[in-house]
């Protein structure tokens, strides 16, 4: 029995209803990172540069586990869609969602072990990559405090995917909002010190981040356990029992997502390392531009997560036209938002840059000028950045992850980084050249993913099998 999906306007309302809490959750999570950047920037330019280098290595090491955490969303969404196709009477889909969540959690923890070992030796890694000893030391200390939040944060991502598949994104938003409110004064206290508490500098920011991650996971588990509709899934019941078939599926879907994220995070991390060749001011300017552009990116990322759930549910129901419509609606919403952000970046680059700096700092004027230039370049690729993340989310709803990973490799590392380094170093453009290369790479990835979505979704509408289903 095939179930017909909603029309265009109904789909847009459903996508927006699911996307805005997810987007605000992403914005709230990034707000914590932006808060740390602001506080460290007020503490010192060197602290901001150390924190930026450490954060880039942190996200690079987290990418493998995040892929399997994100894989939980399409697995559970398609399981729910199958339950709807069967009239919801069978309890098999409840069991399938539970198996998907547990397997994603197990896979995530397994992949985090080597990441934690590398982060513990973060200073040595950064020194081997040619970073200044003082900045590497600060970043290493930051990472040793921050790394304890890796497992709680990954667990939070899996649970958020479960809530998205259930059309219940609200609890994750409430938890993240509470964490943001608690994090700002906590980070300030730990960094600067007050009321007899000694300031820990960059280490304090890392510790505040780890505590916030632990708070988010614990609070979300409590909210799920207290909800009558959600606790029936018993997501953590008999957690020690390994479901090998579902674990293999999570790795099959999740490892390419990990690869794609590693490629994307890696190219921006490599850009930060390349900025280190131009001095602390360049690293600080890169940090400001990256924080602001990443903040705007959180909204289309939320739309992409909604697209994964909406497309996955339609695919599970066997509604090819509904999946096609859900993907295109989400892509249009993401593109529209990022057009507005592009105008804001170009017109407000200098005021935005100064918001992160203390005018009394000796290097503040140089950092602000450089950051304003990078923000203007970031504005030029806002549209393509939004399109690529939403298109990737729609493809994940079809469990299509391997080819998008290869497209990311071509765009980010075949074009983006070589062009950026060529402009920055050999053409003498400097730090701006690196960001121009990133813009070129993101644009290519967006075009390729859009073509991939068009081909698969049209093929599905014409009666061919869903990719990965």
């Amino acid at each position: 029995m095939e179930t017909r999906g909603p029309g265009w306007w109904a789909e847009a309302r459903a996508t927006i209803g699911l996307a805005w809490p997810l987007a605000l959750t992403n914005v709230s999570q990034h707000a914590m990172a932006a808060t740390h950047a602001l506080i460290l920037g007020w503490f010192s330019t060197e602290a901001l540069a150390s924190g930026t280098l450490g954060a880039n290595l942190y996200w690079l090491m987290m990418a493998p586990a995040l892929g399997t955490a994100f894989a939980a969303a399409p697995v559970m969404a398609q399981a729910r869609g199958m339950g709807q196709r069967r009239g919801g009477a069978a309890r098999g889909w409840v069991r399938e969602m539970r198996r998907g969540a547990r397997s994603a959690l197990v896979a995530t923890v397994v992949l985090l072990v080597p990441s934690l070992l590398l982060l513990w030796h973060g200073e040595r890694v950064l020194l081997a990559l040619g970073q200044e000893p003082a900045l590497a030391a600060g970043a290493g200390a930051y990472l040793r405090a921050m790394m304890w939040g890796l497992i709680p944060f990954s667990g939070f991502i899996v649970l958020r995917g479960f809530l998205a598949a259930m059309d219940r994104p609200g609890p994750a938003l409430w938890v993240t909002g509470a964490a943001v409110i608690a994090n700002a004064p906590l980070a300030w206290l730990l960094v600067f010190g007050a009321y007899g508490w000694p300031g820990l500098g960059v280490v304090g920011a890392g510790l505040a981040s780890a505590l916030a991650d632990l708070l988010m996971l614990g609070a979300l588990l409590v909210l799920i356990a207290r909800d009558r509709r959600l606790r029936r899934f018993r997501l953590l019941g008999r957690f020690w029992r390994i479901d090998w078939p579902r674990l293999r599926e999570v790795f099959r879907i999740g490892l390419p997502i990990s690869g794609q994220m590693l490629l994307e995070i890696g190219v921006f991390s490599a850009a930060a390392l390349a900025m280190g060749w131009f001095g602390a001011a360049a690293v600080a300017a890169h940090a400001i531009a990256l924080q602001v552009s990443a903040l705007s990116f959180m909204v289309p990322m939320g739309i992409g997560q909604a697209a994964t759930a909406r497309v996955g549910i339609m695919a599970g129901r066997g509604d090819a036209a509904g999946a096609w419509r859900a993907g295109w609606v989400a892509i249009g919403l993401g593109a529209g938002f990022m057009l507005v952000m592009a105008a804001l970046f170009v017109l407000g680059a200098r005021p935005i840059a100064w918001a992160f700096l203390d005018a009394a700092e000796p290097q503040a004027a140089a950092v602000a000028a450089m950051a304003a230039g990078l923000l203007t370049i970031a504005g030029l690729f806002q549209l393509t950045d939004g399109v690529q993340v939403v298109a990737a989310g729609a493809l994940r709803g079809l469990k299509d992850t391997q080819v998008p990973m290869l497209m990311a490799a071509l765009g980010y590392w075949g074009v983006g980084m070589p062009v950026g380094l060529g402009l920055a170093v050999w053409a003498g453009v400097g730090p701006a050249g690196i960001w121009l290369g990133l813009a070129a790479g993101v644009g290519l990835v967006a075009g390729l993913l859009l073509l991939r979505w068009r081909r698969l979704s049209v093929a599905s509408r014409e009666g061919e099998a869903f990719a990965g289903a």
Side-chain angles (χ1 to χ4, degrees), residues 160-253:
R160 190 180 67 176
F162 162 70
L163 292 170
M166 291 295 296
D167 287 325
R168 295 285 298 276
L173 174 59
W174 306 331
V175 165
T176 309
V180 170
I181 294 172
N183 177 255
L186 178 63
W188 183 275
L189 174 65
L190 292 175
V191 171
F192 284 96
Y195 307 108
W197 182 274
L200 300 176
V202 70
V203 174
L207 183 58
S209 177
L211 291 173
D213 291 335
L214 184 61
L215 170 65
M216 289 192 299
L217 176 62
L220 198 57
L221 284 171
V222 170
L223 287 176
I224 290 173
R226 291 175 61 87
D227 188 289
R228 183 174 58 85
R229 184 185 173 197
L230 298 177
R231 66 172 176 244
R232 63 178 173 145
F233 288 89
R234 296 180 292 110
L235 296 179
L236 298 184
R238 297 183 180 179
F239 181 77
W240 58 90
R241 296 181 62 178
I242 305 298
D243 185 335
W244 295 107
R246 188 47 50 91
L247 186 62
R248 285 193 294 270
E249 182 186 24
V250 167
F251 275 121
R252 178 180 63 81
I253 299 171

Side-chain angles (χ1 to χ4, degrees), residues 168-361:
R168 295 285 298 276
L173 174 59
W174 306 331
V175 165
T176 309
V180 170
I181 294 172
N183 177 255
L186 178 63
W188 183 275
L189 174 65
L190 292 175
V191 171
F192 284 96
Y195 307 108
W197 182 274
L200 300 176
V202 70
V203 174
L207 183 58
S209 177
L211 291 173
D213 291 335
L214 184 61
L215 170 65
M216 289 192 299
L217 176 62
L220 198 57
L221 284 171
V222 170
L223 287 176
I224 290 173
R226 291 175 61 87
D227 188 289
R228 183 174 58 85
R229 184 185 173 197
L230 298 177
R231 66 172 176 244
R232 63 178 173 145
F233 288 89
R234 296 180 292 110
L235 296 179
L236 298 184
R238 297 183 180 179
F239 181 77
W240 58 90
R241 296 181 62 178
I242 305 298
D243 185 335
W244 295 107
R246 188 47 50 91
L247 186 62
R248 285 193 294 270
E249 182 186 24
V250 167
F251 275 121
R252 178 180 63 81
I253 299 171
L255 287 179
I257 298 176
S258 298
Q260 185 175 350
M261 294 182 67
L262 191 63
L263 291 164
E264 184 174 358
I265 295 172
V267 78
F268 281 95
S269 297
L273 295 174
M275 288 291 180
W277 302 338
F278 297 94
V283 175
H286 173 80
I288 293 170
L290 188 61
Q291 287 291 341
V292 176
S293 59
L295 183 61
S296 71
F297 180 78
M298 295 298 105
V299 174
M301 183 178 177
I303 297 172
Q305 290 162 347
T308 299
R310 294 295 302 166
V311 172
I313 289 172
M314 295 299 171
R317 291 167 61 179
D319 183 0
W324 175 82
R325 187 183 302 112
W328 282 115
V329 164
I331 290 169
L333 290 171
F337 175 83
M338 291 303 259
L339 279 174
V340 176
M341 289 298 101
L344 179 63
F345 278 31
V346 172
L347 297 176
R350 289 191 67 83
I352 294 172
W354 273 109
F356 285 80
L357 297 166
D358 182 353
E361 273 283 316

Side-chain angles (χ1 to χ4, degrees), residues 115-180:
S115 297
L116 290 169
L117 292 174
L118 283 169
L119 289 175
W120 184 257
H121 298 285
E123 180 180 356
R124 295 183 182 179
V125 173
L126 291 170
L127 286 173
L129 294 171
Q131 299 305 300
E132 295 180 9
L135 296 182
Y142 176 72
L143 287 169
R144 287 196 173 189
M146 190 179 183
M147 59 182 278
W148 301 110
L150 266 176
I151 291 178
F153 182 73
S154 298
F156 175 83
I157 294 297
V158 172
L159 294 179
R160 190 180 67 176
F162 162 70
L163 292 170
M166 291 295 296
D167 287 325
R168 295 285 298 276
L173 174 59
W174 306 331
V175 165
T176 309
V180 170

Side-chain angles (χ1 to χ4, degrees), residues 422-442:
L423 290 173
V425 179
W426 296 302
V429 176
I434 294 174
W435 275 70
L436 288 170
L438 293 176
V442 169

